[in-house]
Amino acid sequence: MMSYQFTPLHHYLEVFMRRFLLASLWVSPLLFCATASATTEQQAQPSSLTSITPANTFINDSILPPIKPWSGASETLLMATDQPWATPFEQQGYLSTPNYDDTMAWLDKLVDSSDLLHKVSLGKSPQGRDIWMIVASSEGAETATALSNNDKATVLVQAGIHSGEVDGKDAGMMLLRDISHGNKRALLENVNFLFIPILSVDAHERSSEYNRVNQRGPINMGWRTTANNLNLNRDYAKADALEMQHLIRTINIWQPDLYIDVHVTDGIDYQYDVTFGYNVKQGYSPSSFTWLETIYRPAIEAALTEQGHIPGPLVFAIDNADMAKGVSLWNPSPRFSNGYGDARHLPTILIENHSLKPYKQRVLGTYVMLEQTLKTVAQNSTKLKSAIYEDKYRNPSKVTLSWQSEMLPQGRDFKGIDYRIETSPISGANVVRWTGEPKLYANIPVKANTKPDVIVSRPVAYYIPPQWTKVIKRLSLHGIRMTKLTKPTSIAAQQYRFSDPTFSSADYEGHQTVTANTSRHKITTLLPTGTIRVATDQPLGDLAILLLEPQAEDSLFYWGFFNTIFTRTEYIEDYAVEPLAAKMLAENPALQSEFEQALTDPIFANDSKARLRWFYQRSPYYDNQYLVYPVLRAAK
């Protein structure tokens, strides 16, 4: 493998020539005009060569904040364009990324040339494209069984869940190339590597230079959502999308020990080019958190720093226009990759490369992080597997379903970019103008949704009536173990009843979400044959709780899987309820007293419909399943 570094003069000359050739050969006319215009202006300046910067290569550069040129040791990872195993990203001047067909054609060639690699399809997308995964192991394993037999830890890296954010795809292609045909074969001696270059394959092909206006490259970027307009990184818990269903099955079959989801940010400007995070210590996988925080993060940040990058934790500003207000520490719910990993005890890392950094810099930073990940997992796999085991079988007696925000006692230093606030002549509002100059914000506040809110006791099991087939199938997809009752069974259980349901006013990810006030009641009931029992003393017991407890942030109840329980289907006419109410009062003096007490509420007393409904709800004719959660909690 050949690698090279430029002197500053050669670097700028190469950038100049690359821009000209790309514009004239295959970049859109609009980009050509913008580039040619910029070049003309630069030639008019006294020092035209030194005024050209690598940033001025994308069509949206003129509307993005200024940046300083970047150069780092990781540039030695790049292969010269005339080498046979140069990736399309390298061949096209680090500005572009290949389409689906070209990506898979290059990877097919690589797989065919290597005894370490195999390619498997996870399934078809809605538009009929295969979602491919590359299996890399020193033994050349082709199946999940063969991979597990080598007793090594397995790292799963996924790129392109948002297909405009494909840094991981090009970085992973380079890394696989260097493992197969470079000097990095030893990376696989003590670890397995699974690589999904593009998860959202249909969205990847909805490509344009006008996607993701806030991002510096690649030139053509895919779309954020799937062909069905679903955001895959809101879909882990409900698992509606076909792509997500394929991914979850893959996790269940291949059983990775570490899962990496590669993204690119939106939002503010700052110095970090590679930020990453995972679950918090207050979450559902505290042992995994400890491994990630004390072993993984220090190794990754050291490697990135050594290679000329600036790593940091995930960045979410409390107020994009006022950094003094601080940043948020995110405790994600299971709709997100890292929240889902926390719930199912799969250590999961969310990478968010900084969108305002040039594509080349972001890809190289991702490469360094993936390579060091393989090294770190290989060296610490026993501790990683032990942490996962501890989390899977912790089975806490109390489980937090939702969280409140709190200010943490310790702030953090933040490597930001200076800015000024101006009044926009366009909108009339104040806007942020990033200057491109580094600025350290010392000990800014940190806010986190880490204060427990709703907490429930852990039931021994849940019971789901057999008619709720969609719910049962979704739990099965996640890999949650279930058994079926083979005969009618009487149990003592707890049942939720709802009041004051609130439905979302607009569709969200294809669902009408719902929240409601809940009350829990003890019942004894006879369960029919075919009822599904979900025990909570299993590796995915916490995930089952978070999907079946209605107050959980991403429960199937919240996502509307049970919305038909809010539909009234039987009624009683006023002419029938009047004599019924009189009969009920005559036969039940206690009811008479209860009714008189209810009448002390003037709103109730003046609402004739509410008064009739009061009697109907207490009659034997009332629907006893209306506003009642069909899933039961059992203590035994």
Side-chain angles (χ1 to χ4, degrees):
M1 180 185 76
M2 293 181 63
S3 62
Y4 57 92
Q5 288 182 299
F6 296 110
T7 64
L9 180 58
H10 288 165
H11 175 64
Y12 291 126
L13 285 170
E14 194 248 5
V15 170
F16 177 84
M17 292 303 297
R18 185 168 71 243
R19 288 172 56 205
F20 177 79
L21 290 172
L22 287 171
S24 60
L25 291 176
W26 48 269
V27 180
S28 74
L30 183 56
L31 181 59
F32 175 81
C33 293
T35 308
S37 174
T39 304
T40 301
E41 293 173 3
Q42 289 158 347
Q43 288 175 338
Q45 297 174 3
S47 302
S48 60
L49 288 177
T50 56
S51 67
I52 301 173
T53 67
N56 295 327
T57 50
F58 302 110
I59 197 169
N60 55 337
D61 264 312
S62 63
I63 63 174
L64 295 180
I67 60 170
K68 294 182 179 298
W70 174 84
S71 181
S74 61
E75 289 177 293
T76 60
L77 298 168
L78 295 166
M79 180 173 280
T81 59
D82 60 352
Q83 295 301 300
W85 285 111
T87 66
F89 159 74
E90 293 164 317
Q91 293 170 8
Q92 296 174 0
Y94 327 128
L95 304 176
S96 185
T97 191
N99 63 23
Y100 172 87
D101 288 337
D102 290 344
T103 298
M104 297 320 305
W106 189 91
L107 283 169
D108 283 342
K109 180 182 175 183
L110 184 69
V111 169
D112 290 343
S113 70
S114 174
D115 62 335
L116 304 175
L117 308 181
H118 287 278
K119 186 181 78 168
V120 297
S121 174
L122 310 187
K124 298 282 188 181
S125 72
Q127 292 183 342
R129 296 179 178 89
D130 279 290
I131 301 171
W132 294 106
M133 181 173 75
I134 308 300
V135 182
S137 70
S138 58
E139 298 83 9
E142 298 184 50
T143 66
T145 300
L147 200 72
S148 66
N149 286 341
N150 67 25
D151 293 325
K152 301 173 187 177
T154 296
V155 174
L156 170 61
V157 174
Q158 159 198 292
I161 187 172
H162 294 153
S163 281
E165 307 168 26
V166 289
D167 305 12
K169 180 188 74 173
D170 288 311
M173 291 167 72
M174 290 173 60
L175 181 57
L176 286 173
R177 179 267 316 283
D178 293 343
I179 290 173
S180 298
H181 295 287
N183 59 357
K184 298 185 178 180
R185 187 183 183 101
L187 287 174
L188 298 181
E189 286 182 1
N190 295 300
V191 69
N192 305 311
F193 180 27
L194 305 177
F195 177 60
I196 303 172
I198 313 167
L199 179 61
S200 189
V201 289
D202 296 340
H204 188 276
E205 297 309 281
R206 187 180 171 182
S207 180
S208 168
E209 59 190 322
Y210 295 105
N211 292 347
R212 293 191 63 81
V213 65
N214 306 313
Q215 183 173 308
R216 277 193 168 95
I219 288 172
N220 288 292
M221 291 174 270
W223 198 248
R224 183 175 179 82
T225 53
T226 69
N228 300 109
N229 206 34
L230 292 174
N231 186 335
L232 291 179
N233 202 29
R234 306 294 183 273
D235 196 40
Y236 281 85
K238 60 185 177 64
D240 287 333
L242 192 57
E243 298 93 334
M244 182 55 62
Q245 293 173 8
H246 293 324
L247 174 64
I248 291 174
R249 290 191 189 98
T250 299
I251 291 172
N252 289 330
I253 292 169
W254 292 84
Q255 289 293 308
D257 300 285
L258 188 71
Y259 173 34
I260 296 181
D261 179 22
V262 187
H263 289 252
V264 180
T265 67
D266 299 299
I268 66 174
D269 200 2
Y270 44 77
Q271 298 174 49
Y272 311 103
D273 55 353
V274 180
T275 66
F276 63 98
Y278 30 80
N279 66 293
V280 297
K281 65 181 180 181
Q282 296 89 343
Y284 309 106
S285 299
S287 297
S288 295
F289 168 82
T290 298
W291 187 92
L292 290 164
E293 188 76 358
T294 62
I295 295 176
Y296 183 80
R297 180 174 287 279
I300 298 301
E301 291 192 339
L304 284 164
T305 301
E306 183 181 0
Q307 293 295 314
H309 297 273
I310 304 179
L314 296 174
V315 176
F316 304 101
I318 293 174
D319 183 345
N320 286 359
D322 186 358
M323 288 309 304
K325 292 182 179 178
V327 292
S328 295
L329 175 66
W330 185 36
N331 181 12
S333 69
R335 77 185 63 173
F336 304 99
S337 61
N338 47 333
Y340 181 71
D342 185 24
R344 69 173 292 150
H345 315 305
L346 168 59
T348 299
I349 296 154
L350 174 68
I351 298 178
E352 288 280 6
N353 293 327
H354 188 205
S355 61
L356 296 177
K357 302 297 187 289
Y359 190 54
K360 169 185 171 183
Q361 180 179 353
R362 303 197 321 259
V363 170
L364 291 176
T366 307
Y367 180 113
V368 172
M369 185 164 180
L370 298 186
E371 179 182 8
Q372 185 59 46
T373 294
L374 296 180
K375 294 178 180 178
T376 301
V377 171
Q379 294 165 2
N380 300 276
S381 61
T382 300
K383 291 182 179 179
L384 173 61
K385 288 176 177 287
S386 295
I388 295 170
Y389 185 88
E390 289 171 6
D391 289 331
K392 282 183 175 180
Y393 294 98
R394 208 165 50 94
N395 294 335
S397 60
K398 299 288 185 179
V399 179
T400 301
L401 303 181
S402 62
W403 307 83
Q404 295 178 348
S405 292
E406 59 182 349
M407 297 303 297
L408 301 186
Q410 180 63 50
R412 59 172 276 204
D413 291 344
F414 179 71
K415 296 179 180 179
I417 296 293
D418 201 4
Y419 63 92
R420 61 183 182 274
I421 303 296
E422 297 179 355
T423 301
S424 167
I426 305 298
S427 68
N430 288 339
V431 295
V432 174
R433 305 294 188 200
W434 306 101
T435 68
E437 295 299 323
K439 179 177 179 179
L440 178 65
Y441 296 85
N443 196 34
I444 61 173
V446 178
K447 189 176 184 180
N449 57 325
T450 50
K451 182 179 180 180
D453 183 16
V454 177
I455 302 173
V456 297
S457 61
R458 187 186 200 88
V460 171
Y462 294 94
Y463 288 91
I464 308 172
Q467 66 267 26
W468 294 94
T469 55
K470 188 175 180 180
V471 170
I472 295 166
K473 288 179 180 178
R474 205 54 53 94
L475 296 175
S476 178
L477 170 71
H478 285 292
I480 295 169
R481 299 172 186 168
M482 296 175 284
T483 57
K484 185 181 294 186
L485 298 186
T486 57
K487 61 180 181 181
T489 304
S490 179
I491 67 164
Q494 296 172 328
Q495 185 171 53
Y496 287 107
R497 295 177 186 173
F498 301 117
S499 62
D500 302 319
T502 301
F503 298 91
S504 57
S505 59
D507 173 272
Y508 178 51
E509 292 295 315
H511 288 259
Q512 185 180 31
T513 60
V514 61
T515 58
N517 295 328
T518 63
S519 59
R520 204 159 65 193
H521 304 267
K522 293 181 179 180
I523 65 168
T524 299
T525 188
L526 183 67
L527 301 176
T529 300
T531 298
I532 298 300
R533 183 179 189 273
V534 182
T536 64
D537 60 343
Q538 59 169 301
L540 297 181
D542 289 348
L543 178 60
I545 292 171
L546 294 176
L547 292 175
L548 291 175
E549 285 290 335
Q551 296 178 87
E553 295 180 50
D554 277 318
S555 68
L556 297 180
F557 171 83
Y558 166 81
W559 284 110
F561 282 67
F562 295 95
N563 274 6
T564 53
I565 68 173
F566 297 107
T567 302
R568 293 281 299 273
T569 57
E570 293 288 353
Y571 303 88
I572 186 170
E573 300 294 343
D574 291 355
Y575 64 77
V577 74
E578 284 281 358
L580 174 65
K583 184 173 183 292
M584 292 169 64
L585 290 173
E587 295 175 350
N588 189 345
L591 187 67
Q592 176 73 54
S593 298
E594 187 181 351
F595 181 55
E596 290 173 356
Q597 179 62 36
L599 290 174
T600 61
D601 180 352
I603 296 177
F604 174 79
N606 292 315
D607 187 340
S608 60
K609 293 293 184 182
R611 292 168 63 159
L612 293 178
R613 187 166 58 250
W614 190 91
F615 285 99
Y616 176 43
Q617 290 171 346
R618 288 157 177 76
S619 78
Y621 297 98
Y622 188 70
D623 179 5
N624 62 8
Q625 295 185 38
Y626 178 57
L627 299 181
V628 172
Y629 192 42
V631 178
L632 301 179
R633 292 167 45 97
K636 295 182 180 179

